[in-house]
Amino acid sequence: MADTRTVETEPDKEPAKQRSVRVVLLALMITMMLAMLDNMIVGTAMPTIVGELGGLEHLSWVVTAYTLATAAATPIWGKLGDMYGRKATFMTSIVIFLIGSALSGMAQDMGQLIGFRAVQGLGAGGLMVGVMAIIGDLIPPRERGKYQGMMAGVMALAMIGGPLVGGTITDNWGWRWSFYINLPLGVVALGLISVVLHLPKKRSKAGIDYLGVVLLTVGITSIVLVTTWGGTEYAWTSARIMELIGIGVAALIGFVFWQTKAAEPIVPLHIFRSRNFTLMSLIGFITGFVMFGATLFLPLYQQSVQGASATNSGLLLLPMLGAMLVTSMVAGRVTTNTGRYYVFPVVGSVLMVVGLYLLSTMDTGTSRFTSGVFMAVVGFGMGCLMQITMLVAQNSVEMKDMGVASSSTTLFRTLGSSFGVAIMGALFNNRVQDVMSERAGALGSKVTEQSAQLDAASLAKLPAAAREAYQYAVSAGTHSAFLLGSIVAVLALVAAVFVKEVPLKGAGPQKPTEDAAPAPLVEV
């Protein structure tokens, strides 16, 4: 095993790293785009895929298999990066993602597509984690804020452009190119990372914690299946859902217990001794809960109630995503210039609570301008939170735990999005069905017996009275969903109040504190 020496250095004494950091960041942003665009592009192509491959009854598994594999693999990739080196691990995850993309594009039936999507998801679990952890290695937290706008811009571009790109590719090149499009982008990212990124190679003496991997995978898989199937495939009180809950709880309890015994734990529990890290994990969970719930129901409301076109559904979120982008850039610059960040989680949580409450007041008479203003308030709040949570979480751990800190924060946000979509979705669906039964009687129940969400074609075929009742029901459903989101967001505000503003690494001399991690380290 090669001998490694760890020495403390200042960022401005690393000219070679500074010269290449912008090229590395370009490659990282391309990879981040791959991770975020995939589901949105594929979602647009799904009707065409089903039309060619058949298997409509297995349609949901095309997304579920990818989501499950991504969530389960996320913490494992983070730990592997800490143990065996960030560069090799990250490049391996990209290669697996590209192999899964190529195989998915060549799938001949729905079963093959589901299996290949799982392979793709295994690789995707390391993409976002690798991006965040490598940025954490290269750039001290004090300087990291200036790059927040870049990351927020990629996120906004993916959310706005994903459905448009997916529709264009499917219409002009065929659905298989929804997967093949990843290949040239991934090859460019791999080439840049291979040539420009220079990080130390590591080799851990400890073996992989296989039992921890199994327990965590079973626990996460059970949770995601509960949130995916509950209220749709199976009733929330059904035996299958209860079994999954029992298995998930038992596996996670076993996992936590085993992590105290394992020689090289997948998620070392000592990182949660940092108050800031634990609070950021909670805030990240709630942000994921709120954000993905909002991106699901806002286009539905605008299409069903306000009569907007589904073709440009990504553009409907522009007020929220634009506000998020601008605020994230401002927050990053202020953090870099001052080293202060406490205000952003607090203000962001307040704006998120207020914005979600305003969205809950929308009804059938709300104008697009008014709903756009409400969305912007939520976007301003998210912009204060999205990157700050990762920044503070990484600042709260030692460099040797950068990977698991990044993966744990990402995992909490992913799980939050699963719970948000499931719980807000269940509340929305129940409310829509109840209101349709009240206002349209038996016809209303028949209209929504399969799903409370109708596409534009189905909505246009309804009688005028039923269509009006459905529009009222959707506004009532979004009221309930966003009101719940506002209540949940209060927890983020409570957590933000207790954040302790620890000086960011790279910000000059600092006093040791319980949450402060050592100065930036470079291994040579």
Side-chain angles (χ1 to χ4, degrees), residues 9-11 136 139-148 276 280 331-345 387-397 399 402 499-513 515-520:
T9 66
E10 293 295 331
I139 306 169
R142 178 67 182 264
E143 301 300 317
R144 211 172 296 156
K146 69 176 68 172
Y147 299 104
Q148 284 182 203
N276 276 4
M280 288 301 124
R333 284 293 178 182
V334 171
T335 301
T336 296
N337 293 337
T338 67
R340 310 301 293 269
Y341 55 81
Y342 176 81
V343 66
F344 295 114
Q387 305 303 330
I388 288 291
T389 52
M390 181 65 74
L391 173 65
V392 177
Q394 290 180 335
N395 191 62
S396 303
V397 302
M399 288 293 290
M402 185 65 69
V499 170
K500 185 175 183 180
E501 190 167 64
V502 176
L504 296 174
K505 290 177 284 184
Q510 56 176 297
K511 298 179 182 179
T513 72
D515 281 286

Side-chain angles (χ1 to χ4, degrees), residues 228-362:
T228 303
W229 284 349
T232 54
E233 296 288 327
Y234 302 96
W236 285 104
T237 55
S238 67
R240 179 60 56 86
I241 296 298
M242 292 297 107
E243 288 170 1
L244 286 171
I245 291 174
I247 292 171
V249 170
L252 292 178
I253 291 174
F255 172 76
V256 171
F257 174 77
W258 176 247
Q259 294 306 279
T260 64
K261 309 293 184 183
E264 193 67 49
I266 292 294
V267 180
L269 300 183
H270 67 258
I271 62 177
F272 291 97
R273 294 175 189 162
S274 164
R275 181 171 76 186
N276 276 4
F277 181 83
T278 302
L279 292 173
M280 288 301 124
S281 297
L282 175 60
I283 293 173
F285 179 91
I286 295 169
T287 304
F289 187 106
V290 167
M291 180 175 181
F292 285 88
T295 55
L296 174 64
F297 295 112
L298 280 171
L300 177 63
Y301 168 83
Q302 291 192 309
Q303 291 170 36
S304 301
V305 179
Q306 296 181 328
S309 168
T311 305
N312 299 320
S313 57
L315 297 176
L316 301 175
L317 299 174
L318 191 57
M320 183 176 74
L321 297 175
M324 184 178 73
L325 172 59
V326 171
T327 311
S328 184
M329 293 176 65
V330 172
R333 284 293 178 182
V334 171
T335 301
T336 296
N337 293 337
T338 67
R340 310 301 293 269
Y341 55 81
Y342 176 81
V343 66
F344 295 114
V346 175
V347 172
S349 299
V350 170
L351 289 173
M352 200 158 63
V353 171
V354 172
L356 287 165
Y357 175 76
L358 291 174
L359 288 176
S360 76
T361 64
M362 295 189 304

Side-chain angles (χ1 to χ4, degrees), residues 38-52:
D38 189 75
N39 258 339
M40 296 184 178
I41 291 178
V42 173
T44 307
M46 282 313 299
T48 306
I49 293 174
V50 172
E52 181 173 328

Side-chain angles (χ1 to χ4, degrees), residues 282-283 286 353 486-496:
L282 175 60
I283 293 173
I286 295 169
V353 171
S486 179
I487 294 170
V488 171
V490 172
L491 297 176
L493 176 58
V494 173

